[in-house]
């Protein structure tokens, strides 16, 4: 089934090597965008100036469209930090919002880190959930709703949608987050739940050979579409699997891979001319249908700068301040999929 879109990189919304970041954060990644009460809302993971991974919310002005810009990030995170020694005390990442469904309130799923290590051997993640209360606040579920298993101790990058029987979650299962010099060992798995809390035993959806890291699932006029992304080359490892999003299509958001078409690459971020902010790949896609029929994909890109020294030279060439010390530099931007 041919894909009818031609991707165009729109540009970054927030960029660690751009003019400035919103107050209180050093980096932002994995946007999850939804139209809530006639206003576009983005849930996003952020690394705060106090060196904590937290969940944030950004909004557009009432009536504004996502391709017009103007996102404003709330100064405070969505919830307070987990208590010490909690399963997610190391940080909260990659939000996935689901509106109220089947009598259950709105939920926000996320990956939580128990370890002090962000990546490499020893890093460990599980998947948790926040629930919207009657006062508009988010309440943290004290235990994870999904944990890893022997051989794939980390589960992260949840993508949850409402389905007729309850909820469906795709997620990444991996031994640990890939570290410098390592090759990725990524599998996508899928699981269902009647109530969004107790999940069935997961099954594999995409293999290690395919190397997909996360995804977005959304309806189209032809049926359903899934955008798949590989984990970006955070550490500048050479060689490394090719980067860029792929797309597959199906008549329904089926958990069975056989129901989906073969993957088709819609953007090669390794190709010459790729904007610097996404030169080492993209991840964390979120689908945004615009009123004029166009489809905007918000996502996170990894800058081509493979070290702080390279990033510093990039900033100085633009007459900007030196960048914050970081092992990699992220930007949140958009790809416009024009029909």
């Amino acid at each position: 089934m041919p894909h009818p879109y031609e991707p165009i990189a729109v540009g970054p919304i927030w960029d660690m090597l751009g003019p400035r970041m919103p107050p209180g954060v050093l980096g932002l990644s994995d946007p999850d965008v939804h139209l809530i009460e006639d206003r576009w809302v983005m849930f996003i993971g952020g690394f705060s100036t106090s060196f904590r991974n937290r969940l944030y919310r950004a909004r557009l002005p009432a009536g504004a469209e996502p391709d017009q810009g103007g996102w404003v990030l709330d100064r405070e995170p969505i919830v307070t930090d987990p208590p010490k020694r909690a399963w997610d005390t190391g940080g909260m990442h990659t939000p996935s919002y689901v509106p109220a469904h089947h009598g259950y309130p709105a939920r926000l799923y996320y990956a939580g880190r128990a370890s002090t290590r962000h990546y490499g051997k020893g890093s460990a993640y599980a998947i948790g959930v926040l629930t919207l209360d009657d006062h508009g606040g988010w309440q943290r579920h004290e235990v994870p709703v999904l944990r890893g298993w022997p051989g794939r101790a980390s589960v992260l990058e949840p993508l949850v949608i409402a389905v007729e029987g309850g909820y469906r979650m795709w997620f990444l299962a991996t031994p640990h987050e890939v570290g410098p010099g390592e090759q990725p060992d990524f599998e996508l798995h899928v699981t269902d739940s009647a109530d969004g809390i107790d999940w069935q035993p997961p099954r594999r959806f995409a293999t290690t050979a395919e190397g997909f890291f996360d995804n977005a699932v959304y309806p189209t006029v032809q049926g359903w579409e899934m955008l798949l992304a590989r984990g970006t080359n955070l550490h500048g490892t050479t060689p490394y699997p090719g980067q860029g999003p792929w797309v597959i299509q199906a008549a329904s958001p089926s958990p069975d891979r056989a129901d989906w078409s073969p993957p088709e690459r819609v953007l090669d971020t390794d190709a010459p001319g790729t904007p610097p902010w996404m030169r080492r790949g993209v991840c964390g896609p979120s689908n945004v249908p615009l009123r004029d029929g166009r489809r905007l994909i918000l996502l996170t890109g990894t800058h081509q700068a493979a070290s702080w020294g390279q990033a510093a030279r990039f900033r100085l060439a633009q007459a900007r301040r030196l960048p914050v010390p970081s092992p990699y530099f992220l930007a949140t931007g958009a790809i416009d999929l024009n029909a």
Side-chain angles (χ1 to χ4, degrees):
M1 186 184 303
H3 191 261
Y5 301 113
E6 180 69 27
I8 299 172
V10 176
I13 301 168
W14 295 298
D15 186 347
M16 290 179 69
L17 298 184
R20 66 182 182 88
M21 292 293 296
V25 294
L26 301 175
L28 294 163
S29 65
D30 297 290
D32 185 48
V33 182
H34 298 268
L35 188 62
I36 302 175
E37 297 179 352
D38 296 323
R39 187 173 180 181
W40 287 102
V41 177
M42 178 194 300
F43 301 99
I44 192 166
F47 191 58
S48 73
T49 51
S50 59
F51 305 106
R52 297 281 299 183
N53 286 112
R54 293 167 169 152
L55 301 178
Y56 292 87
R57 181 186 66 176
R59 290 177 289 180
L60 284 177
E65 285 283 282
D67 61 337
Q68 298 170 346
W71 290 99
V72 178
L73 188 78
D74 291 351
R75 285 183 173 267
E76 297 297 325
I78 291 172
V79 293
T80 58
D81 294 333
K84 292 182 179 180
R85 293 182 290 278
W87 68 271
D88 50 357
T89 190
M92 307 169 81
H93 312 251
T94 58
S96 179
Y97 171 83
V98 185
H101 177 60
H102 278 194
Y104 296 107
R107 297 235 175 88
L108 192 66
Y109 296 84
Y110 66 97
R113 178 169 51 85
S115 62
T116 56
R117 294 184 61 87
H118 292 250
Y119 51 77
K121 294 180 180 180
S123 62
Y125 293 81
I127 292 172
V129 67
L130 308 176
T131 298
L132 190 66
D133 63 27
D134 294 337
H135 305 288
W138 292 98
Q139 301 301 318
R140 172 182 164 275
H141 201 62
E142 292 187 359
V143 297
V145 296
L146 194 67
R147 292 184 183 271
W149 53 87
R152 298 202 172 270
S154 277
V155 292
L156 59 161
E157 303 295 314
L159 185 283
V160 185
I161 64 171
V163 294
E164 184 176 349
Y167 300 83
R168 182 161 296 148
M169 180 197 299
W170 284 266
F171 64 93
L172 170 66
T174 181
H176 56 260
E177 258 283 45
V178 63
E182 293 183 327
Q183 293 296 311
D185 183 359
F186 297 151
E187 288 185 355
L188 285 186
H189 286 242
V190 63
T191 177
D192 285 342
S193 172
D195 63 2
I197 300 296
D198 295 314
W199 294 85
Q200 298 175 8
R203 47 182 163 154
R204 189 171 64 184
F205 185 83
T207 67
T208 299
E210 293 174 297
F212 295 126
F213 181 76
D214 56 11
N215 63 337
V217 181
Y218 46 89
T220 69
V221 293
Q222 292 88 13
W224 285 77
E225 205 162 80
M226 181 184 297
L227 200 72
L228 295 150
R230 290 178 173 172
T232 69
N233 189 0
L234 289 176
H235 309 288
T237 301
T238 303
Y240 205 74
Q243 296 295 302
W246 282 254
V247 70
I248 58 178
Q249 297 163 323
S252 69
S254 172
D256 298 321
R257 181 62 182 275
D259 293 334
W260 295 84
S261 63
E264 180 184 353
R265 196 176 191 174
V266 295
L267 179 64
D268 182 357
T269 57
D270 300 315
T274 299
W277 66 271
M278 54 192 294
R279 189 75 55 83
R280 282 161 55 193
V282 294
C283 65
S286 181
N287 170 68
V288 182
L290 303 177
R291 291 173 183 164
D292 61 7
R294 289 180 299 134
R295 190 172 300 281
L296 201 67
I297 301 295
L298 272 67
L299 37 65
T300 293
T302 298
H303 256 276
Q304 65 178 343
S307 68
W308 183 86
Q310 290 183 10
R313 289 192 290 273
F314 178 86
R315 295 270 293 189
L316 290 172
Q318 299 178 327
R320 295 174 181 163
R321 296 179 180 176
L322 291 175
V324 173
S326 176
Y328 45 80
F329 298 91
L330 305 177
T332 293
I335 294 175
D336 189 353
L337 297 182
N338 289 311

